[in-house]
Structure formats: C-alpha cells, structure tokens
Amino acid sequence: MAPFFSLLPLLISLLISPAKPFTVIVSDSSNQSALLDGPQTGFTMNKKGARTEAREQEAIYDIMRATGNDWATEIPDVCRGRWHGIECMPDKDNVYHVVSLSFGALSDDTAFPTCDPAKSYISKSITKLPHLRTLFFYRCFTYNPQPIPSFLGQLGSTLQTLVLRENGHVGPVPTELGNLTRLKVLDLHKNNLNGSMPVSLGRLTQLRSLDLSGNKLTGPIPSFSFPVLNVLDLNQNLLMGSIPPSLGSCRSLIKIDFSRNRLTGSIPDSIGGLRELILMDLSYNRLSSPLPASIRSLNSLQALVLKGNPMGSTTLADDAFEGMKGLMILVLSNMNLHGPIPESLGRLTSLRVIHLDGNRLNGSIPANFKDLKNLGELRLNDNQLTGPVPFGREMVWKMRRKLQLYNNSGLCYDANSGFEDGLDSSFDSGIGLCNTPRPGSARTVQHLSTPDRTTMPSTNQKSSGVGHKSSLFVRMVYQTLAVVLMFVFLGR
C-alpha cells in the first residue's frame, strides 16, 4: 500500500491549497444581526455587564435537554460559561448571541457534547436562535432514528453550515431545506434518507459543499446549477437516469463523486467546462458510452476513476487523454474496453497509478510507458496484451508487486532489459522471455505465486469490487478527504 499512501498527503494538500480556499464560515458585514466579528476565546472574561440574550439562553437549555445534556441547565450564562461546542458573538450592546452549536464526539481531541443515543432529538427551540450560523450533529440519533425536521428551513436568514452526519436520519430530504438560501455547507452523509433529491435545493446558490452520500436516495439527479460549488458527493445511493448536462455549469467544482449508483447513459460533453476539477469518481454505475472528447480539456484533473462501468466494447482513442498533464490516478478497470492502450498515456508524466485490468485490451504496452518515472502502480492483468514489456530493472524494482501483468496471452521480456532482475525472488510475474518457448501452454502462463495471493481478487471479488485492495484504498482516500474537507469547511 506504500505507493498509494504516499499520494494521500498530496491529494489532501491539493484540496486545501491556499490557491483554492475552502473556508466558508466567514464574517458577513451585511448580516442583519449586526454581530461584531472577533476572537471567540475568552470573549466575556473582561467585559463588565456582558450577558447572553435571555430567550436564546432558554432555547439552549431546551436543546441541551433534548440531547440528554441536562447539566447545561445549571450554567447561569451559557455564553459566559461556555463549553466546547457552543460559540457566541456580541452585538453592539454587548449582548451575546449563539452563532454555532455542535454535538457528537468526533475524536478524543474534539469533545463536543455527546448525545444520549436512545432518546435524543433535535429540539424546535433551535428556531429561537436568530443568529445561528453553524449547526452540527454527528452520530447523535443512531438508536432513535427520526426524520430531518422540516423546521430547520426556518433558519434561512442566517444558517451557513448544516451538518447532520451519520445520525441514522430516515425519510426524505425535506424540501424546506431549500429555504436555507445562505447555506454554504450541506452535509447529510451516511444516514438512511430515501426518496428523491428535492429540486428546492437548487435555490441554495451559495453552496460550496453538498454531500448526500451514503444514503438510499432514488430517482434522477436534478438539473442543478451551483455557481460556487466546490464539492458534490452523491456516492453510494440508488440514483438513476443520466448525468445532467447542467453539471458543466458548476464551474467551481473541484470534486465530483457519483460512484456506486445506477446512473446510465453517457458522460455529458459539458463536463469539459469544469476546468478546476481535481477528482472525478463515476465508478460502479451503468454508464455505457465512450468518453467525451471534451474530457481532454480537464487539465487540472488529477484522479479519474471510472471502473466497473460496462462501456459497451469501447475503444479508447489514441488521443483520449491528450493534454491531461495533471493526471495522477487513472482507474479504468473492468469496463469492457477493447483495442490498444493509448500511447498518449505514456506522455502523461505525472501518472502514479494506472489500472486498466479486467478489460479486453490488445496490442503491446506502449514503449513510452518506460518514461513514466513517477509510476508506482500499474495493473494490466487480465487483458489480451502481447509483445515485449518496456520496463527495465529500476522501474520494475520500484513497483515490485504493484506491477501486475498476469493473465495476458503474449507478454514477454527481453533478456537484456533487466526486467527479471528487478523482480522479487519470490514473485512470479507470469511473463517469460521473448522468443523462448515455455513448458506447456507457452503463452498462457498465469500469475500463481502463493505469497502474492492476498493482492489478487477471487472471481467473485473481481466482479463485485468487494475485498480488492485498490477498492479499499480508494474508499480510505475518499473517507479521509471527506473528513478533512468537513473540518476545513467548518473552519475548525
């Protein structure tokens, strides 16, 4: 896994690079509440007469009781005696107002108030906090599943961040959330939400991050147009229909993840307008058309994952990826691809991971693949490739067991190439010398090395993607990115 994990810090750093700012919880001088933005820590200690607004204090008591935190009702002033998980800000009269509430134990170092898992609920008293900007619940209602309350739509004048993550929420996404027109972050990841994506979400034109992943949403993806959206994550749902062409109008997108749905049709040509896109994962859908020519214009793209889509005997054009100079990860496994490997891939010198396994690719491995000096993993196994392998000792030694070429009918290596010298002594590459007959079936040697069996999928694993190390890696990368982005968006 070393080559994969070496990419993780880079991917994360790219997503939070100062050149692409993600902090969206910002002061707003036009806020009608006229709060005074300033440092939060210790804000009341030396201010004589500072106090929390009385109605908001009572609302906090109700909210805390509803989550099983009755201890808070003993605090005479919730802003002056604040805990980690509540933030307050003063107005011009030195009256403090609640602007942020967070619940749930993210980690040992992030001690937001936890929720009683058996009886917690979201109190309607939240609507009595007229200055609330951030509302965060994490794993709070797992054993007391409940719908997302529609009354949250009443916070539209102030709320900027709504995170209801892994809470076990059931039912549909309330259409009333479309009233939260100042919202910048909406995260409903990993609940049990069903029904379709409400069209009303299209009114959230200030959204920077929309995460509805890990639910049971059905129906089509609406034709949204979010002008400043950076992250769109809808993976692991039951969404159907085609990818809407309107996606191309979301020009600020950096990450798209529609993986593990039931999407059909083609990737829209409008995708070429997403010039800021870094990561696109459309894997494990039912897409069935060739890649659009416009994909070549995605020169910021660094990870393209399309595996598990039955592309219908698609042949990759030789210039299919021409110009994608930033591409680092390309995963096109199990897509029923035919024809030769595009030589243009060998000119993308930033590539570190290439998965083309489980297709019907033929011809030889392009000779210019030897110029991919950053390549750390290459999977070409289970194809119909022939001819000499263009890798020498140094490149083979670098990839070791991450170079997988088995189950190809005619691959071989030249005696003077140093290919065999770079292999682990216990590793059987399944590749023999060129022009040298092999015992038995000369051109059908399979990779049968016992020490490497853990890296090979069984027949069932291969077809489902379950248990494969690359699948585990990709999931770990995206989960890590999700957590990193969540913290960045929250301004923590």
Side-chain angles (χ1 to χ4, degrees):
M1 300 298 289
F4 277 135
F5 284 110
S6 66
L7 292 175
L8 191 54
L10 179 58
L11 286 172
I12 294 172
S13 67
L14 285 167
L15 286 172
I16 60 175
S17 165
K20 301 182 184 299
F22 271 86
T23 304
V24 297
I25 301 173
V26 294
S27 61
D28 187 348
S29 58
S30 65
N31 190 344
Q32 62 182 6
S33 63
L35 299 183
L36 303 178
D37 289 322
Q40 300 288 306
T41 305
F43 54 75
T44 60
M45 299 305 293
N46 299 313
K47 292 194 175 184
K48 186 176 180 180
R51 67 190 186 282
T52 301
E53 204 279 330
R55 288 170 296 181
E56 294 184 40
Q57 171 127 330
E58 289 300 319
I60 291 296
Y61 289 159
D62 287 344
I63 294 165
M64 295 299 280
R65 279 191 291 262
T67 55
N69 292 288
D70 297 68
W71 52 266
T73 60
E74 303 297 324
I75 300 175
D77 190 313
V78 294
C79 285
R80 289 177 61 88
R82 79 187 193 115
W83 58 87
H84 190 47
I86 185 173
E87 293 182 8
C88 303
M89 295 180 70
D91 60 19
K92 57 183 177 56
D93 297 319
N94 210 23
V95 175
Y96 279 83
H97 302 277
V98 178
V99 297
S100 176
L101 281 177
S102 300
F103 296 88
L106 284 172
S107 68
D108 293 339
D109 299 323
T110 307
F112 297 147
T114 57
C115 305
D116 186 320
K119 62 180 182 180
S120 292
Y121 63 95
I122 299 177
S123 170
K124 192 173 183 179
S125 290
I126 282 177
T127 61
K128 300 176 182 178
L129 302 176
H131 307 278
L132 193 65
R133 299 179 182 178
T134 299
L135 185 60
F136 181 100
F137 284 93
Y138 177 67
R139 293 184 177 177
C140 276
F141 318 112
T142 308
Y143 301 106
N144 184 29
Q146 56 197 264
I148 296 174
S150 60
F151 58 70
L152 294 180
Q154 298 177 32
L155 299 171
S157 62
T158 59
L159 198 65
Q160 297 181 23
T161 299
L162 177 60
V163 177
L164 304 175
R165 193 175 179 89
E166 298 185 38
N167 286 303
H169 287 297
V170 295
V173 178
T175 58
E176 289 82 358
L177 295 189
N179 297 329
L180 303 175
T181 54
R182 299 190 64 186
L183 207 61
K184 298 179 180 180
V185 178
L186 177 58
D187 185 341
L188 308 180
H189 167 74
K190 202 173 182 181
N191 288 288
N192 287 302
L193 301 172
N194 56 30
S196 59
M197 294 176 59
V199 176
S200 63
L201 295 183
R203 300 203 299 267
L204 308 183
T205 57
Q206 296 186 46
L207 270 183
R208 298 290 184 90
S209 177
L210 176 60
D211 188 343
L212 303 179
S213 61
N215 286 288
K216 299 175 182 177
L217 299 176
T218 57
I221 300 173
S223 295
F224 292 138
S225 180
F226 296 111
V228 294
L229 191 68
N230 297 135
V231 175
L232 179 56
D233 195 341
L234 305 178
N235 85 83
Q236 295 190 60
N237 278 287
L238 303 173
L239 296 170
M240 304 175 69
S242 60
I243 298 172
S246 63
L247 187 67
S249 66
C250 303
R251 300 299 179 110
S252 298
L253 276 170
I254 291 174
K255 173 187 173 182
I256 297 173
D257 189 348
F258 293 168
S259 62
R260 298 180 185 276
N261 279 284
R262 300 175 180 178
L263 301 174
T264 56
S266 60
I267 300 172
D269 192 64
S270 62
I271 206 83
L274 304 180
R275 301 301 177 88
E276 303 297 320
L277 196 63
I278 291 176
L279 185 152
M280 180 164 66
D281 188 346
L282 306 178
S283 60
Y284 296 112
N285 278 285
R286 300 171 183 176
L287 302 175
S288 57
S289 297
L291 300 178
S294 65
I295 202 169
R296 302 171 203 159
S297 63
L298 301 181
N299 49 26
S300 293
L301 195 67
Q302 298 185 23
L304 176 61
V305 184
L306 301 176
K307 64 180 177 179
N309 282 288
M311 282 292 183
S313 301
T314 294
T315 299
L316 295 173
D318 186 59
D319 60 352
F321 306 100
E322 197 74 54
M324 300 175 70
K325 300 300 185 183
L327 198 62
M328 295 169 56
I329 299 175
L330 178 64
V331 181
L332 305 180
S333 308
N334 302 309
M335 292 178 60
N336 199 30
L337 299 175
H338 287 233
I341 298 172
E343 186 178 348
S344 59
L345 282 180
R347 295 191 286 271
L348 304 183
T349 55
S350 296
L351 278 169
R352 300 193 180 192
V353 175
I354 302 176
H355 289 185
L356 297 174
D357 52 297
N359 288 294
R360 298 183 183 180
L361 298 171
N362 55 33
S364 60
I365 301 173
N368 60 1
F369 268 38
K370 68 179 184 298
D371 300 323
L372 298 176
K373 303 302 183 184
N374 291 313
L375 198 61
E377 177 157 349
L378 176 63
R379 294 186 179 182
L380 299 177
N381 52 284
D382 298 295
N383 280 290
Q384 299 166 10
L385 300 172
T386 59
V389 175
F391 308 122
R393 178 187 302 105
E394 182 180 349
M395 201 163 183
V396 175
W397 183 89
K398 177 182 177 182
M399 287 190 280
R400 295 293 183 98
R401 295 172 185 263
K402 300 300 181 183
L403 174 61
Q404 298 190 9
L405 304 173
Y406 58 87
N407 287 353
N408 281 283
S409 58
L411 287 179
C412 61
Y413 65 90
D414 291 326
N416 298 324
S417 67
F419 175 86
E420 189 174 32
D421 297 335
L423 295 175
D424 189 306
S425 59
S426 64
F427 179 74
D428 177 9
S429 68
I431 309 297
L433 277 169
C434 294
N435 302 319
T436 301
R438 309 177 197 174
S441 300
R443 294 294 186 182
T444 59
V445 178
Q446 294 187 1
H447 178 75
L448 298 175
S449 174
T450 301
D452 195 47
R453 294 298 290 175
T454 56
T455 68
M456 295 179 57
S458 67
T459 301
N460 290 334
Q461 288 172 331
K462 181 178 173 184
S463 63
S464 66
V466 177
H468 200 292
K469 278 193 173 183
S470 69
S471 296
L472 291 175
F473 158 71
V474 172
R475 290 179 65 78
M476 286 190 289
V477 167
Y478 295 164
Q479 289 170 356
T480 303
L481 289 175
V483 173
V484 169
L485 288 170
M486 178 174 65
F487 278 112
V488 174
F489 276 120
L490 288 174
R492 305 289 176 191

